Amino acid sequence: MLNFLKRGKSKMEKQGTDSTVDSSELLGGEASSAEKEVKTTLSFHPDANVGSEEKYYFQFLNNELEPLKVNQISLSGIELKQNGSDLYVTAFVRNSLPKGIKFQEMPLLLLGPNGEKLGRKVFDLSQLGELPAESSRPWQFVFSESDLMVSEFPQTEWKLAFELKKAPAPHSLDLEETWEKSLANEDREKLDQLVKSMTPPKPGEVNFMGIQAKQGEDGSLHVTLLIRNGSEKNLTLKQLPLIVEDASGEIIAKGGFQLNDLEVKSNTSKPWTFIFPASLLHKDDVDLTKWKAYPPQG
């Protein structure tokens, strides 16, 4: 039995505010453009142990809720209580669709009066059961200490919200300041188009792509690579060992480079040139019609 709906001496008013999304953002399908308003009916989980006082309390609060538009899902904050290091958040889960819906695991955010993030947790919302058409169901969400980002919480104006997946930004070019200043507009445009035309690295993947290799008049080897960061976090490179092979498949150069905390921003590619002195080349006659450069494995 679900006993969390038993209440103490709570006031007959909601402490939190509402967050509402179109059902298509959570469950897929097409968004509705209907302007019809839906007044949701109170619904309790079949296993909930609800006394007459609790029924009156939740019915009163439900009657005070603003109507929803068709095909919306809403979280309406009722009460927030701390118990030791845990935080208990009671809210109405509301469904204005003309059919019952079921949820799976979903991340929820606890937000403060100014939208600041107070907590985040992935909840198994299948435990909520089927939420009937055009209904509101009170539910309790428990945030443990590890889910919380602050230790003190506002008693009013907070809200519980679904964390919606954002479409990832397109993989883009990231230029170091020195490159920004020295690179001609035409060359920058070519690099930008190159990055946009390539398949981006997989999420979390970091790889290297060769752009140009040439020898200087002093016999040194200049290798320009795109450092491609598919991670959601910025990447900082302190040093990088590299091996270069020419068209024959032979290793023509090996070396380690100190990069002084070179940063590659998340989901971007940064060009960088590595110069091997002539003394590090393993052969005199190199064929750069085809080549590759890569960090040693292991």
Side-chain angles (χ1 to χ4, degrees):
M1 300 291 283
L2 301 176
N3 296 313
F4 65 77
L5 296 181
K6 290 187 178 298
R7 53 183 288 270
K9 297 181 180 179
S10 305
K11 294 181 180 179
M12 298 288 282
E13 59 184 20
K14 282 165 54 319
Q15 295 177 354
T17 58
D18 301 352
S19 64
T20 302
V21 298
D22 194 284
S23 63
S24 62
E25 296 184 80
L26 287 182
L27 308 176
E30 295 184 6
S32 171
S33 58
E35 292 298 318
K36 173 189 171 185
E37 289 190 336
V38 175
K39 187 70 176 175
T40 50
T41 303
L42 183 63
S43 165
F44 293 108
H45 191 284
D47 293 335
N49 182 15
V50 189
S52 57
E53 186 178 352
E54 284 76 29
K55 285 183 180 178
Y56 176 78
Y57 168 70
F58 287 113
Q59 186 64 67
F60 177 85
L61 295 183
N62 186 69
N63 290 344
E64 297 294 306
L65 295 175
E66 293 291 329
L68 297 175
K69 293 180 181 179
V70 175
N71 290 350
Q72 288 186 326
I73 298 170
S74 179
L75 294 171
S76 183
I78 298 174
E79 188 178 60
L80 182 153
K81 284 186 176 180
Q82 284 185 271
N83 184 358
S85 59
D86 292 337
L87 189 72
Y88 292 76
V89 180
T90 306
F92 286 114
V93 184
R94 307 178 68 200
N95 167 30
S96 71
L97 277 76
K99 62 180 180 180
I101 57 174
K102 291 182 179 180
F103 298 96
Q104 301 299 321
E105 284 193 345
M106 287 190 177
L108 299 185
L109 299 173
L110 180 63
L111 303 175
N114 298 313
E116 66 273 26
K117 193 180 294 186
L118 307 178
R120 180 190 184 275
K121 182 177 178 179
V122 177
F123 288 93
D124 181 7
L125 296 187
S126 65
Q127 297 178 7
L128 188 68
E130 179 170 311
L131 191 59
E134 301 183 352
S135 70
S136 301
R137 177 166 290 178
W139 200 252
Q140 190 172 75
F141 302 88
V142 183
F143 291 81
S144 61
E145 185 175 14
S146 60
D147 305 318
L148 300 170
M149 298 160 190
V150 297
S151 56
E152 296 184 0
F153 302 90
Q155 289 303 304
T156 60
E157 300 301 313
W158 52 267
K159 66 181 175 182
L160 202 59
F162 294 102
E163 184 181 56
L164 300 176
K165 291 183 178 179
K166 296 181 180 178
H171 196 80
S172 60
L173 178 66
D174 173 27
L175 289 179
E176 195 72 5
E177 185 177 356
T178 53
W179 284 63
E180 287 271 13
K181 293 178 178 178
S182 61
L183 202 62
N185 289 339
E186 183 181 353
D187 292 332
R188 179 190 175 123
E189 183 64 27
K190 287 180 180 178
L191 275 175
D192 193 46
Q193 291 301 318
L194 175 64
V195 170
K196 289 178 179 178
S197 68
M198 294 187 301
T199 301
K202 297 176 182 177
E205 179 185 20
V206 176
N207 61 40
F208 302 85
M209 176 186 173
I211 300 177
Q212 184 183 68
K214 63 181 181 180
Q215 282 192 275
E217 293 182 0
D218 59 356
S220 60
L221 179 64
H222 298 234
V223 175
T224 302
L225 303 178
L226 270 181
I227 306 171
R228 309 175 73 221
N229 180 15
S231 169
E232 294 181 358
K233 297 181 180 180
N234 293 352
L235 170 70
T236 300
L237 295 174
K238 296 180 181 296
Q239 56 185 11
L240 183 67
L242 279 179
I243 297 172
V244 183
E245 297 178 10
D246 71 356
S248 68
E250 296 180 77
I251 293 175
I252 59 171
K254 281 185 180 180
F257 296 86
Q258 298 296 323
L259 298 178
N260 298 321
D261 294 339
L262 179 69
E263 184 180 61
V264 185
K265 295 184 177 64
S266 64
N267 198 30
T268 68
S269 290
K270 170 168 281 185
W272 200 251
T273 298
F274 301 87
I275 301 175
F276 294 84
S279 59
L280 290 182
L281 268 61
H282 293 190
K283 63 186 226 182
D284 297 326
D285 186 19
V286 297
D287 181 359
L288 297 176
T289 57
K290 183 179 178 183
W291 62 276
K292 65 179 179 179
Y294 52 91
Q297 302 299 313

